[in-house]
Amino acid sequence: MIRRHFTEQTAIFFSVAKWVFLSSMVGVIIGATVTLFLKILAYSEVSRGLLPFDFYYLLPFALVLSVWLTKTFAPTAEGHGTEKVISAVHKESGKIDVSVIPIKTLTTVLTIFTGGSVGKEGPGAQIGAGVASLLATRLKFSKQDRKKLVICGISAGFATVFGTPIAGAIFGVEVLIIGVIMYDVLLPSFIAGFAAFTTAQFLGIEYTYYDMHFFQNVSLDLVLIIKVVLAGLFFGFISDIVITMISHTHSYIKKIQTSMYIKAFVGGLLIVGLTMIFGEQYIGLGLGTIADALNPNQTQITDIHWYTFLLKTIFTSLSLGAGGSGGVITPIFYIGATSGNFFGSIISPEHIPLFAALGFVSVVAATTNTPIASTIMAVELFGIDIAHYAALAAVISFLISGHRSIFSSQILAMRKSEMLSVKIGEEVENINISLEEHEMNKIEKLRRRLRKKKR
């Protein structure tokens, strides 16, 4: 008995030591690599002022170039990044083409520099996963170890981009399978996230955190809790709109029978036209608008309207559908914060920044099916006082959005309602949903009763 116990503890110790070393190493390397990407991106945005005309006029040409680079050199670098990494983990044991790293960097910088409404976290996660896959291949890791290291790469890339090491680590293990957290990768993901975040800070990356200064006046504010529940429902429906619009726009553009280069150019022209009509706040990363939505002094804000989040959804759908390269979570932050700002202005004007912050994390929770990572992100970005409200809104919105995701390669491991019949283990894009048989029988009985009453 003692010998078995000693053997078990020794094996666990060496396994922990192995992954502490590996995840620390990969975290530092990914932190440095993604930092380079972020610095190139920041320099490109600053360089817009050197152009003798508005920078977004170049978007049609940038989209065409992005499509050509991706198609020619790295087809798996297409789209918003995280989706391809999830697919690689599930279908290729984490094997990712090394060409993704430079191509994803270049195409994302091109897209954001010229005004594409995309984010930087997807490329950060894909670059991180690509670096981890390369290291695993060079070191001749087994398929299982390579898969674990690539998941660490997702966490490290996300933590580096947003400065949220704990949320980044949880995101990497929560985003792969809906309803399951991969505990065997939790420790290395945490270490990789912290190592990458620390490396990025050491190399000069500065992060934005929002001190909400939100404190309850009483220990239990029942009215505010009810408002937060309503907000969770609202954000769930907003998330459904975002998923539907982005996926349907992509599908519709893909079905158009013409050259992908023509589609990219025309899509870029359409975004340019919309920008000239509605303004520049809907293109690029949109970090300024996010900060405005969270500003405690809302009397100074004039650019956020009730339809702002809808326009951002349209701009993002067109940017990605027309061949732009970049992430989708930064635009979702924008959509969540501005929709929360709008909701707060109606239901609780004294708490507008709070509801903007809740929207910021809740729409991400629902669209990516990561309520735990999103709740932790709320704490890291906004402070501990928002934690219980963020958890409530994030989980409700996650459930209300249904068995859908912005990442169609996610695998479903849970039902969001016992009334529904859903096949567990399928990818989100292949899910067929129907009512359970006993629920259908209840509905049929109700119909019969209504018919009898009419007679």
Side-chain angles (χ1 to χ4, degrees), residues 1-297:
M1 185 75 176
I2 295 175
R3 181 178 295 178
R4 283 206 308 269
H5 181 72
F6 178 76
T7 301
E8 178 190 13
Q9 295 301 310
T10 303
I12 291 174
F13 172 79
F14 281 111
S15 178
V16 168
K18 165 190 170 182
W19 282 105
V20 166
F21 172 75
L22 288 174
S23 54
S24 298
M25 176 185 69
V26 79
V28 170
I29 295 171
I30 290 171
T33 306
V34 177
T35 293
L36 177 61
F37 160 68
L38 294 175
K39 286 184 175 291
I40 294 172
L41 184 58
Y43 177 77
S44 72
E45 290 187 283
V46 172
S47 301
R48 288 170 175 168
L50 300 175
L51 295 172
F53 48 81
D54 290 328
F55 64 92
Y56 56 85
Y57 290 162
L58 293 174
L59 183 58
F61 304 98
L63 292 180
V64 171
L65 182 56
S66 176
V67 168
W68 179 79
L69 286 168
T70 302
K71 182 183 178 183
T72 305
F73 300 105
T76 54
E78 180 189 3
H80 46 79
T82 310
E83 165 66 25
K84 299 296 182 183
V85 176
I86 294 172
S87 180
V89 169
H90 290 319
K91 298 175 182 178
E92 305 292 337
S93 298
K95 190 170 185 179
I96 298 172
D97 186 356
V98 69
S99 62
V100 163
I101 300 171
I103 296 302
K104 195 66 182 179
T105 300
L106 180 56
T107 54
T108 301
V109 170
L110 273 172
T111 303
I112 294 177
F113 169 73
T114 55
S117 179
V118 296
K120 52 188 176 180
E121 84 301 318
Q126 194 169 18
I127 291 167
V131 170
S133 177
L134 176 63
L135 289 173
T137 301
R138 289 285 183 267
L139 296 174
K140 302 187 185 305
F141 281 12
S142 66
K143 288 183 178 181
Q144 185 61 29
D145 281 354
R146 180 176 63 202
K147 186 175 178 179
K148 289 177 70 172
L149 204 64
V150 167
I151 295 171
C152 291
I154 300 172
S155 299
F158 194 86
T160 305
V161 171
F162 286 117
T164 54
I166 302 176
I170 296 294
F171 183 86
V173 297
E174 189 180 18
V175 75
L176 299 170
I177 304 174
I178 302 172
V180 171
I181 289 182
M182 303 173 70
Y183 286 101
D184 59 325
V185 201
L186 200 53
L187 174 65
S189 289
F190 271 129
I191 294 172
F194 276 114
F197 169 68
T198 305
T199 301
Q201 282 192 313
F202 177 77
L203 294 175
I205 297 295
E206 295 181 356
Y207 297 102
T208 302
Y209 300 98
Y210 306 90
D211 190 353
M212 302 299 293
H213 291 295
F214 177 75
F215 299 92
Q216 294 186 81
N217 295 321
V218 291
S219 58
L220 179 64
D221 188 340
L222 185 58
V223 174
L224 185 56
I225 290 174
I226 293 172
K227 290 178 180 179
V228 170
V229 170
L230 293 175
L233 297 171
F234 175 74
F235 296 136
F237 291 121
I238 294 298
S239 302
D240 188 54
I241 291 171
V242 172
I243 295 169
T244 300
M245 190 169 291
I246 289 178
S247 61
H248 283 201
T249 301
H250 182 268
S251 298
Y252 177 76
I253 293 176
K254 193 173 182 180
K255 289 177 182 176
I256 297 175
Q257 299 296 316
T258 188
S259 166
M260 64 178 67
Y261 301 113
I262 294 175
K263 288 188 281 190
F265 192 82
V266 172
L269 286 178
L270 183 55
I271 295 171
V272 170
L274 290 172
T275 303
M276 294 174 72
I277 295 171
F278 295 107
E280 295 181 15
Q281 67 266 37
Y282 302 102
I283 57 177
L285 293 171
L287 300 180
T289 302
I290 294 174
D292 285 345
L294 295 162
N295 191 334
N297 190 354

Side-chain angles (χ1 to χ4, degrees), residues 369-429:
N369 290 293
T370 55
I372 297 175
S374 299
T375 301
I376 294 171
M377 184 189 298
V379 175
E380 291 187 285
L381 289 177
F382 305 118
I384 190 64
D385 298 288
I386 201 176
H388 40 306
Y389 293 119
L392 185 60
V395 172
I396 290 173
S397 61
F398 158 72
L399 294 172
I400 290 297
S401 64
H403 302 85
R404 313 180 66 210
S405 176
I406 204 74
F407 305 133
S408 59
S409 293
Q410 281 183 322
I411 291 177
L412 186 70
M414 63 166 285
R415 292 187 301 171
K416 293 188 179 183
S417 171
E418 70 280 359
M419 296 173 64
L420 296 173
S421 175
V422 182
K423 188 174 181 181
I424 303 301
E426 290 281 345
E427 290 185 357
V428 170
E429 63 180 345

Side-chain angles (χ1 to χ4, degrees), residues 41 79-80 82 108 111-112 115-123 158 161-162 238-239 242-243 246 281-287 289-290 293 308-320 324-340 356 359-361 363-364 367-368 406-407:
L41 184 58
H80 46 79
T82 310
T108 301
T111 303
I112 294 177
S117 179
V118 296
K120 52 188 176 180
E121 84 301 318
F158 194 86
V161 171
F162 286 117
I238 294 298
S239 302
V242 172
I243 295 169
I246 289 178
Q281 67 266 37
Y282 302 102
I283 57 177
L285 293 171
L287 300 180
T289 302
I290 294 174
T308 294
F309 67 94
L310 293 173
L311 282 176
K312 185 62 175 179
T313 305
I314 293 170
F315 274 76
T316 303
S317 301
L318 288 172
S319 297
L320 291 170
S325 181
V328 73
I329 294 181
T330 306
I332 290 173
F333 285 157
Y334 182 118
I335 293 163
T338 53
S339 63
F360 186 103
V361 295
V363 178
V364 169
T367 53
T368 65
I406 204 74
F407 305 133

